[in-house]
Amino acid sequence: MTQETANRPATQSDKDVLENYRRIIDISQQLGTTYDLQTLLRKIVVAANELIHTEAAAIILMDDSTGKLRFAMSSNIKPHEMDEMSIPLEGSIAGWIFTHGEPRVIENASADPNHYQGVDDRLSFHTRNLLGVPMKTPQRILGVVQAVNKEDNQRFTDDDISMLRTLASQAAVAIENARLFQQSDFIAELVHELRNPLVALKASTTLLLRPDLPEEKHDDIVETMRFETDRLIGLTDDFLNVARLESGRVQLEIAAFPLYKLLTESVQIIHQHAADKQIDVVIEPNDYVVEADRGKIKQVLINLLSNAAKYNRPGGQIIVAAHAIHDLDSEEDFAQIDVTDTGYGIPREHQKHMFQKFFRVPNTEKLERGTGLGLTICKGIVEAHSGRIWLKSEEGQGSTFSFTLPLII
C-alpha cells in the first residue's frame, strides 16, 4: 500500500464493507451459541439476505440417505414446499458448487445450462442471477448457501463473494456443532427415559420366576409388564418422530380439507378419556378449509386434547374453537385453532419450557406420566406447515394451546 493510498479518506464503499465485516463478527458470535438447528438455519438465511442484499437466500444441504441436495431453509420457500423438492448433483448449479467446492456466480440464470429450472417452475419464481458458495468444514462439504437476485438488478461483486464465503464457513462449523449437540443431548435423554421401563420389566420378570409368588400377584405383575411394554413402544415412536422432524426428513402430504370434520374426529378419539373424568368437550361450530397434512394435524389435535383431558379437573370442560386471522408480517391468512381446558394451569415460570424436549411441569407426575415429547412433536409439525404454536395459562384457571394453519379463503 502506498503512502498516498494509506492517506486516502475512506469512501462510502469502504465504510459499507467494514460495517459488513463487523456484522459478520456479530453473526458469527450468534451462530456459535445457537444449538437449535432450525433456529440456526433461519439466522444464516436472514444474514445472507442482509449482507448480500438479495431478494432471497437459501441453505441447501446434502441428504446422506438419498445422495441428493435438499432445501433445509429458504427465505422464499415454505417448509412443506421444501420437503417436496430435491436438487440433483448433476445438472444443477448447487450440485456443481457442492461437487467442486468452489463459489460460483451466475449473472444470467436462464441462459446457464446448469440452472435447475425445476425449483423455479414449482415456485413460480424467476431466478435472474445468483451467487452460491460451499459450506465447508475441515472434514467435508455440508452443502451450499445461495443468494438469489441481487437487489436493483445489480451484479454480484468480489466483496459479495468474500462476505458469503466467510458467512458459509462460520455457518458450516455452527451446523456441525448443533448437530453434534442435539445428537448427544438426545441420546443421553433417550437412555435415561428408556431405563425406567426396562428396570420395571426386569424386576417384573424376576418376580414371576419366584416359586413362592402368590397366584393373586401373578396377574398384577403381567399387567405391569404390559403397561411398561406399551410405554416403551410409545417412547420409541415419539423418539423417531422427533428425530425425523429435527432432521427435516418428514414428508408432508399437503391437501385442502374442512377443519370442523377433523376436529370432530379428534374429539371422538379422546371422548372416553374425558368421560371417565366427567369432562364436557365442546366444539364451536365455525368451519374453515385449511391446507395441510391431515394426518399430521390430527396427531397435533389428539395430543393437545389428550393433555387437556389429562391435566383437567374432574367435572371440568374442554372447548375447541377455530377462527380466521390475517398475519400482517407475511400478509397471509391462517386458521387459528384453540384448545382450552379448565384444569390446574401452568405456573408462569414453566410456560417458556413447555415445547422443549422431555420437559414436564414439576409435581404433575401424580396426575399422568407422558414421554415429555408430545408438545415438541406438535411444534415441529405446526412449524413445518409455516404455522406457529403457543400457549396462554393462568395457574389454577386452566390453559389454552393455540396453533395456526394456512387458510384457504
Side-chain angles (χ1 to χ4, degrees):
M1 179 184 293
T2 65
Q3 185 64 37
E4 180 181 351
T5 303
N7 293 333
R8 175 178 60 82
T11 65
Q12 185 59 45
S13 177
D14 294 334
K15 292 177 181 177
D16 290 343
V17 170
L18 183 60
E19 181 57 35
N20 278 346
Y21 275 107
R22 286 181 181 143
R23 183 75 181 108
I24 280 278
I25 293 171
D26 291 340
I27 292 167
S28 298
Q29 291 173 341
Q30 292 179 31
L31 299 185
T33 55
T34 302
Y35 297 107
D36 179 81
L37 188 56
Q38 293 302 305
T39 301
L40 178 64
L41 296 176
R42 197 173 295 113
K43 285 182 177 181
I44 296 166
V45 165
V46 169
N49 265 337
E50 178 185 330
L51 291 169
I52 313 302
H53 304 290
T54 52
E55 292 178 5
I59 296 172
I60 301 165
L61 297 177
M62 170 55 67
D63 187 337
D64 294 329
S65 65
T66 63
K68 292 183 178 181
L69 295 167
R70 64 174 182 82
F71 284 93
M73 185 63 64
S74 175
S75 62
N76 69 326
I77 307 176
K78 295 179 179 179
H80 71 267
E81 292 173 333
M82 289 191 290
D83 292 338
E84 300 166 0
M85 289 184 286
S86 61
I87 301 174
L89 282 175
E90 297 291 333
S92 70
I93 296 168
W96 188 97
I97 295 168
F98 181 87
T99 303
H100 290 78
E102 295 294 335
R104 191 165 178 188
V105 175
I106 306 297
E107 292 297 352
N108 184 359
S110 59
D112 192 288
N114 281 329
H115 176 53
Y116 182 60
Q117 191 64 40
V119 175
D120 279 10
D121 292 343
R122 186 181 288 268
L123 297 175
S124 300
F125 181 83
H126 176 59
T127 300
R128 297 191 309 273
N129 58 7
L130 67 86
L131 163 62
V133 300
M135 303 178 68
K136 293 181 179 180
T137 69
Q139 291 77 32
R140 62 183 182 132
I141 298 176
L142 302 183
V144 175
V145 181
Q146 284 188 346
V148 181
N149 292 353
K150 184 82 170 173
E151 292 176 354
D152 301 323
N153 290 315
Q154 297 293 310
R155 297 171 68 88
F156 290 105
T157 66
D158 289 343
D159 285 335
D160 289 333
I161 298 172
S162 178
M163 286 289 173
L164 199 58
R165 289 185 78 163
T166 303
L167 175 64
S169 176
Q170 298 294 323
V173 174
I175 289 171
E176 285 283 77
N177 288 341
R179 284 174 168 174
L180 290 170
F181 180 85
Q182 288 188 347
Q183 185 180 47
S184 61
D185 183 54
F186 192 64
I187 290 172
E189 291 288 356
L190 169 62
V191 171
H192 175 75
E193 292 295 329
L194 291 178
R195 188 176 184 277
N196 290 333
L198 288 172
V199 167
L201 284 169
K202 186 176 187 300
S204 297
T205 55
T206 301
L207 287 172
L208 282 176
L209 291 172
R210 287 182 57 174
D212 58 340
L213 179 71
E215 186 63 31
E216 63 270 17
K217 292 291 185 183
H218 184 275
D219 289 346
D220 291 341
I221 294 172
V222 170
E223 180 59 25
T224 297
M225 294 178 72
R226 185 197 64 77
F227 175 82
E228 295 297 345
T229 302
D230 287 345
R231 188 172 157 206
L232 274 174
I233 293 170
L235 280 167
T236 53
D237 285 346
D238 283 351
F239 289 144
L240 288 172
N241 277 325
V242 171
R244 290 190 189 104
L245 287 164
E246 290 190 340
S247 69
R249 293 175 186 170
V250 170
Q251 297 297 313
L252 299 179
E253 298 178 7
I254 303 296
F257 61 87
L259 184 59
Y260 184 80
K261 187 171 187 296
L262 180 61
L263 296 179
T264 305
E265 289 177 18
S266 303
V267 166
Q268 190 60 39
I269 289 172
I270 63 98
H271 173 74
Q272 190 58 53
H273 187 183
D276 290 343
K277 296 175 67 173
Q278 294 82 47
I279 295 170
D280 185 33
V281 185
V282 177
I283 308 176
E284 294 190 356
N286 294 337
D287 195 13
Y288 300 96
V289 176
V290 296
E291 191 173 39
D293 184 318
R294 196 177 191 278
K296 294 287 193 301
I297 299 307
K298 189 172 185 177
Q299 184 180 351
V300 172
L301 284 167
I302 291 171
N303 190 289
L304 296 181
L305 287 164
S306 296
N307 284 348
K310 184 186 301 182
Y311 301 110
N312 213 327
R313 305 172 190 274
Q317 188 179 52
I318 298 171
I319 301 173
V320 185
H323 59 274
I325 62 171
H326 181 72
D327 184 74
L328 295 176
D329 292 332
S330 65
E331 291 297 329
E332 294 185 4
D333 296 299
F334 292 87
Q336 177 177 319
I337 300 94
D338 302 319
V339 177
T340 302
D341 65 65
T342 56
Y344 302 97
I346 301 164
R348 187 173 299 277
E349 66 268 23
H350 299 312
Q351 292 179 19
K352 63 183 178 181
H353 304 296
M354 290 302 296
F355 297 99
Q356 294 175 2
K357 290 193 293 289
F358 304 108
F359 180 78
R360 302 181 185 91
V361 177
N363 302 320
T364 58
E365 293 83 356
K366 61 187 176 187
L367 297 174
E368 288 189 51
R369 182 175 175 84
T371 64
L373 291 172
L375 290 176
T376 304
I377 293 169
C378 289
K379 182 175 185 289
I381 290 173
V382 170
E383 291 182 349
H385 286 82
S386 300
R388 63 188 188 94
I389 186 169
W390 68 97
L391 73 101
K392 293 180 181 178
S393 185
E394 290 291 335
E395 194 170 3
Q397 297 182 28
S399 305
T400 296
F401 283 81
S402 305
F403 67 96
T404 59
L405 294 173
L407 175 67
I408 297 180
I409 300 297

